[in-house]
Amino acid sequence: MYSYRCEQCRTTWPVTSRREAEAERKRHRDHVHAGGTPDGDSIQQPPRPPLPPQPPFLATPLRRAVSTTVVFGALALVIWFRTLA
């Protein structure tokens, strides 16, 4: 999804397909700017929504590695104690 933005007119058109945004840009240039290219004229993609936050213990690669090691270490201890009993 794309939208056409004319910085000179301070106007952004609704989100649409790339082809329709390019057609709107051409129409706008022809009718308002006599075919010229205004400064700041662009076709933009709307920003992607941010990723959901991760729990603090998984926030960095080091923390993920430590968390994984702790889980597997605890599992190994449980298995080892069960084999002794």
Side-chain angles (χ1 to χ4, degrees):
M1 301 309 296
Y2 298 86
S3 61
Y4 170 60
R5 170 90 179 148
C6 178
E7 285 292 329
Q8 192 173 34
C9 296
R10 296 179 184 237
T11 306
T12 303
W13 278 257
V15 175
T16 184
S17 71
R18 175 82 186 196
R19 179 176 284 168
E20 290 171 356
E22 288 172 353
E24 187 59 51
R25 175 173 59 184
K26 181 168 177 12
R27 269 193 300 275
H28 178 72
R29 285 178 177 177
D30 291 344
H31 293 290
V32 178
H33 301 289
T37 303
D39 292 341
D41 173 85
S42 65
I43 293 181
Q44 304 170 337
Q45 279 189 298
R48 292 184 175 167
L51 295 173
Q54 290 186 338
F57 61 90
L58 296 177
T60 64
L62 178 62
R63 287 183 179 178
R64 283 192 291 272
V66 169
S67 298
T68 303
T69 303
V70 167
V71 168
F72 281 115
L75 183 62
L77 284 173
V78 167
I79 292 171
W80 183 61
F81 280 120
R82 285 190 171 210
T83 56
L84 292 177

